[in-house]
Amino acid sequence: MKRIGILTGGGDAPGLNAVIRAAVKTAINEYQCEVLGIRNGYDGFLEEDGIIPLGRDSVRGILPRGGTILGSANRGNPYARKVIRDGKEVTIDVSDEIVKGIKKLQMDALLVLGGDGTLHIAHELYQKGVPVIGVPKTIDNDIGGTEFTFGFDTAVNIATEAIDRLHTTAESHHRAMVIELMGRDAGFIALHSGVSGGADVILIPEIPFTFDNILTKVRTRVERGLKFSILAVSEGAKPKGGGQVFSRKGDEMYVPRLGGIAQVVGEFLETHGFESRVTVLGHLQRGGTPTAFDRWLATRYGAAAVRLAAREGYDRMVALQCGEITDLPLEEAVAVPKRVDVNGDAVITARNIGISFGDE
Ligand code: F6P
């Protein structure tokens, strides 16, 4: 193995730099291998200055840093790249150009750090001869075949701290505090932080709710003398028979953006006599320094991805299973997105301790 490349695609997640650092160190220390960084996801193959050498010096001090030193691109799909031609925006397939660029660089492996979209593309590029290795990244924790993606633990910790802080002010003012959390169509962040932060109601996409059930829970608490409530709401949560709430419609440039369900829930409570305040935690969940767990996981993933490359384990993704790092075919990992098991112990535990999911 003489030369490998690394790219980071999709939304960033705390721990990306820790993966890059571990991969660079492992490649140099164990395989005397050259490492190239590709800037801004797959776009880097098409950009001037899109490829940079990564040495020990480039990764010094980046372990605790959030974001990615390589930059990322949310819309960097080589199969559907938006460009302006004759003043008009058109979608073109530049995958062959990218494959040509990759092959010209004579890389023995391309480590792709990404979520489902980026990893899907990696699998497709493999069909065109690119020796890809996947590393599962996302705060949503929604990638199959792995217990945890890096970035998730940091997001849960930030969300938990936010819920703790809402608790004290909720109690002082006898209010319902509704907090909207990220996760897209998976409720892991709301579930984990809601339980860890002692929420009274947790709404997740996997368990459709009714407004009446939420009201009953808040009312029952008041009747028991508890005049405040904490509601942890996943951005993708939806009422039974209803749809998700979006803050921005999808168009040629952007996928639809989830957002606004917490406001809907807060307004509903207000119209039924419960003073409410809404917090949207947003990108605070994605920014800043990774937790120790995410640094540990990201470091293990980075080193394991390079070992996998050395074994020519292309078109596979490193993963965490039963606490150990392993790997599985990329196709398998991205086939079905991971969702909260509504009959699993996490949901049962939450119900046992009196948390309402708004479904009963
Ligand atoms: O997938 C990660 C994530 O943070 C989701 O939880 C969220 O819906 C989305 O990305 C936000 O994306 P953007 O950074 O484009 O606003």
Side-chain angles (χ1 to χ4, degrees), residues 70-83:
L70 293 174
S72 194
N74 242 359
R75 289 167 281 124
N77 182 353
Y79 291 89
R81 191 179 160 87
K82 314 273 189 255
V83 290

Side-chain angles (χ1 to χ4, degrees), residues 115-181:
D116 56 351
T118 308
L119 294 176
H120 257 290
I121 294 166
H123 174 61
E124 284 173 35
L125 290 176
Y126 176 74
Q127 325 293 317
K128 295 193 173 200
V130 180
V132 296
I133 303 274
V135 181
K137 162 244 65 165
T138 166
I139 63 163
D140 304 337
N141 202 33
D142 61 352
I143 297 178
T146 186
E147 277 153 23
F148 288 109
T149 55
F150 66 88
F152 171 67
D153 185 67
T154 306
V156 168
N157 274 281
I158 292 166
T160 303
E161 191 195 333
I163 294 173
D164 285 346
R165 288 177 186 275
L166 289 177
H167 245 114
T168 57
T169 172
E171 202 164 357
S172 309
H173 289 273
H174 317 297
R175 284 170 175 160
M177 301 301 272
V178 189
I179 180 165
E180 184 169 299
L181 300 162

Side-chain angles (χ1 to χ4, degrees), residues 326-348:
T326 179
D327 53 81
L328 73 156
L330 258 179
E331 191 174 18
E332 207 178 295
V334 298
V336 186
K338 193 168 69 177
R339 298 287 178 254
V340 169
D341 177 0
V342 298
N343 300 308
D345 93 278
V347 169
I348 294 170

Side-chain angles (χ1 to χ4, degrees), residues 260-309:
I261 182 66
Q263 188 63 35
V264 173
V265 171
E267 278 169 18
F268 170 80
L269 289 173
E270 290 246 315
T271 56
H272 288 79
F274 296 98
E275 194 185 353
S276 306
R277 293 290 187 276
V278 175
T279 302
V280 179
L281 200 53
H283 290 78
L284 289 172
Q285 291 158 98
R286 263 183 24 199
T289 190
T291 57
F293 178 85
D294 274 338
R295 296 180 199 188
W296 163 237
L297 182 62
T299 300
R300 293 167 80 200
Y301 277 162
V306 174
R307 296 196 300 269
L308 185 59

Side-chain angles (χ1 to χ4, degrees), residues 45-91:
F45 288 112
L46 304 172
E47 289 167 1
E48 229 175 276
D49 306 328
I51 313 288
I52 51 168
L54 290 177
R56 287 196 184 93
D57 286 349
S58 355
V59 297
R60 189 162 297 130
I62 67 170
L63 177 62
R65 259 170 68 185
T68 160
I69 58 164
L70 293 174
S72 194
N74 242 359
R75 289 167 281 124
N77 182 353
Y79 291 89
R81 191 179 160 87
K82 314 273 189 255
V83 290
I84 307 293
R85 293 261 162 97
D86 303 327
K88 264 212 213 129
E89 192 189 270
V90 288
T91 305

Side-chain angles (χ1 to χ4, degrees), residues 152 187-188 190-192 194-196 202 204 207 339-355 357:
F152 171 67
F188 293 105
L191 176 62
H192 286 230
V195 170
S196 306
I202 298 176
I204 58 175
I207 307 180
R339 298 287 178 254
V340 169
D341 177 0
V342 298
N343 300 308
D345 93 278
V347 169
I348 294 170
T349 299
R351 292 194 197 276
N352 288 162
I353 61 170
I355 295 172
F357 286 92

